[in-house]
Amino acid sequence: MTLTELRYIVALAQEQHFGRAAERCHVSQPTLSIAVKKLEEELGVLFERGKQKILPTPLGDKIVAMAGRVLEQAAAIKDVADANKDQLEGPIALGTLPTIGPYLLPQFIPLLQETTNKLALYVEEGSVSELASKLRSGDLDAILVTAPFAEADVVVQPLFDEPFMLLLPADHRLANKMVIEAADLLPDELLLLGEGDSMREQILAAFPDLNPREPTGAAVRTFTQGSTLETLRHMVASRLGVTILPQTAAEAPLYAPNLLVTRPFAPVTFM
């Protein structure tokens, strides 16, 4: 077996599709299929071929998990070998959440280009679980996610904090207030991303009164299919409600100030 073959079966187990796994590994589908078949002839049946998904067998689950650890250790060996080289030279694969990358990277990339012209930055967006999985498998070198985040053997470095801001139509009832109190918000006019989104959970943790415990309470409206923070911005511009965004996202120049405005929240005091 080879590291390349192990990389193929890890990708196939994660993507559950030969075509997507081949695309992720930057090879043709026949190349990946032949390599997986060769490895199965050596080790045993690793995958069950279904009509919709390709799923690991019990043996495959064990071997894929071990393969992930082998690839991680192989990447660590390369890191040791590269330790004395210029750290700002060569390719780097960066994973980011869709709620961070579009707003941070336009500020970061020009500074990076001023610092070095020897580094090629590859950027991939995904959920926290997807990015963490690819970080563990060595497909990504680093990821940008929201706190809290904890993974064994992964170094976590806080980069920055930013406040939440209220984004609202310029003619909204709260637009005349320079500072917003949590009590000013009405759950049924608040637009958020769908259930399970990490930023949604942060917002509801910061504003617990917006998440009523009683099922009869006013519900926060959510958007799930293909939704991004820009989707929420468009909904607010259409006067469908208001939304809460991180400051970098809230203040991104997209609409004229006579259409949308942002307002800070009053500091939280603890009794």
Side-chain angles (χ1 to χ4, degrees):
M1 72 186 74
T2 66
L3 288 177
T4 297
E5 292 167 349
L6 296 183
R7 191 171 292 110
Y8 289 168
I9 64 170
V10 169
L12 183 57
Q14 292 172 347
E15 298 294 341
Q16 300 180 353
H17 186 276
F18 275 103
R20 291 194 298 270
E23 182 178 353
R24 175 171 156 184
C25 295
H26 308 291
V27 297
S28 67
Q29 182 171 329
T31 297
L32 185 137
S33 298
I34 291 171
V36 171
K37 183 178 180 182
K38 174 179 174 292
L39 200 58
E40 288 187 316
E41 290 174 353
E42 180 179 352
L43 302 178
V45 178
L46 304 179
F47 295 94
E48 295 177 353
R49 279 74 167 169
K51 292 183 178 180
Q52 301 297 326
K53 293 182 179 180
I54 307 297
L55 298 175
T57 62
L59 173 64
D61 272 327
K62 294 178 182 179
I63 291 179
V64 166
M66 296 176 68
R69 292 193 291 271
V70 169
L71 292 172
E72 184 179 349
Q73 290 300 311
I77 292 173
K78 188 174 184 301
D79 289 341
V80 170
D82 292 340
N84 294 325
K85 296 180 181 179
D86 186 351
Q87 295 298 298
L88 293 179
E89 182 176 349
I92 181 171
L94 177 68
T96 177
L97 296 178
T99 51
I100 299 178
Y103 312 102
L104 180 64
L105 293 180
Q107 304 175 54
F108 166 70
I109 291 177
L111 295 175
L112 183 64
Q113 291 175 335
E114 291 177 9
T115 304
T116 177
N117 60 2
K118 299 179 180 179
L119 191 146
L121 183 66
Y122 165 80
V123 179
E124 180 173 338
E125 289 187 350
S127 67
V128 173
S129 60
E130 291 169 342
L131 296 178
S133 176
K134 291 187 177 183
L135 181 68
R136 300 289 303 185
S137 66
D139 292 329
L140 294 173
D141 298 309
I143 61 177
L144 286 170
V145 295
T146 53
F149 178 82
E151 284 273 330
D153 302 326
V154 173
V155 176
V156 178
Q157 175 65 53
L159 296 180
F160 63 93
D161 295 316
E162 63 176 333
F164 283 123
M165 304 280 287
L166 184 68
L167 182 71
L168 63 163
D171 58 357
H172 190 272
R173 61 181 178 84
L174 295 178
N176 291 328
K177 297 194 65 173
M178 292 298 101
V179 177
I180 304 298
E181 302 285 345
D184 294 331
L185 301 177
L186 301 177
D188 59 359
E189 69 174 352
L190 183 63
L191 309 171
L192 295 180
L193 296 180
E195 298 282 349
D197 178 78
S198 59
M199 184 162 293
R200 171 194 173 91
E201 300 307 318
Q202 284 187 322
I203 291 171
L204 294 180
F207 301 92
D209 291 342
L210 295 176
N211 195 18
R213 295 179 176 84
E214 298 297 329
T216 56
V220 171
R221 288 182 288 170
T222 62
F223 293 83
T224 55
Q225 295 298 323
S227 292
T228 65
L229 297 188
E230 294 311 308
T231 302
L232 297 180
R233 192 193 307 275
H234 299 323
M235 298 298 101
V236 174
S238 300
R239 294 187 174 85
L240 293 180
V242 302
T243 193
I244 298 173
L245 300 177
Q247 185 174 12
T248 51
E251 295 181 348
L254 184 62
Y255 285 98
N258 63 346
L259 187 60
L260 292 179
V261 296
T262 60
R263 293 290 181 265
F265 287 98
V268 177
T269 55
F270 298 95
M271 302 299 291

